[in-house]
Amino acid sequence: MADTAGQRTFTLERLVEDVADVLYVDTDEVSPDESLLDQGLDSIRLMTLVERWRSDGAEISFVDLAERPTLREWAGLLAPAGAPRAGA
């Protein structure tokens, strides 16, 4: 899936895939509503995600994500301005 700039959008599905990738688990093992810290995400993997998403155009920081450690919250943070929030 791509946005108008040709970059991938930050859907909840993409976030699950990216987190599963850095945790080396299947996507069905990643819960969008459970704290990612409880699912094994550490600061190094979080920085990996921040850098990956920044390279795709996200304006996000490590602190933004660390303070809201669920994928649903991240999907809301990464949604383009004016887009409906995940779970809303």
Side-chain angles (χ1 to χ4, degrees):
M1 181 177 303
D3 64 19
T4 56
Q7 298 170 334
R8 291 182 62 199
T9 57
F10 299 100
T11 62
L12 184 58
E13 179 180 305
R14 180 206 173 156
L15 301 182
V16 168
E17 290 172 0
D18 288 350
V19 168
D21 181 52
V22 299
L23 293 178
Y24 302 104
V25 299
D26 291 328
T27 56
D28 61 348
E29 296 179 58
V30 177
S31 170
D33 298 306
E34 184 181 337
S35 170
L36 291 162
L37 304 174
D38 294 339
Q39 296 181 68
L41 190 70
D42 58 27
S43 61
I44 301 298
R45 289 181 176 105
L46 180 54
M47 274 311 302
T48 299
L49 292 169
V50 168
E51 292 307 315
R52 180 183 298 180
W53 295 338
R54 282 181 179 168
S55 72
D56 279 349
E59 294 181 14
I60 200 77
S61 74
F62 177 90
V63 173
D64 292 331
L65 299 180
E67 289 178 342
R68 298 164 190 85
T70 70
L71 285 175
R72 278 207 203 280
E73 291 172 307
W74 289 5
L77 289 171
L78 289 162
R85 298 289 184 179

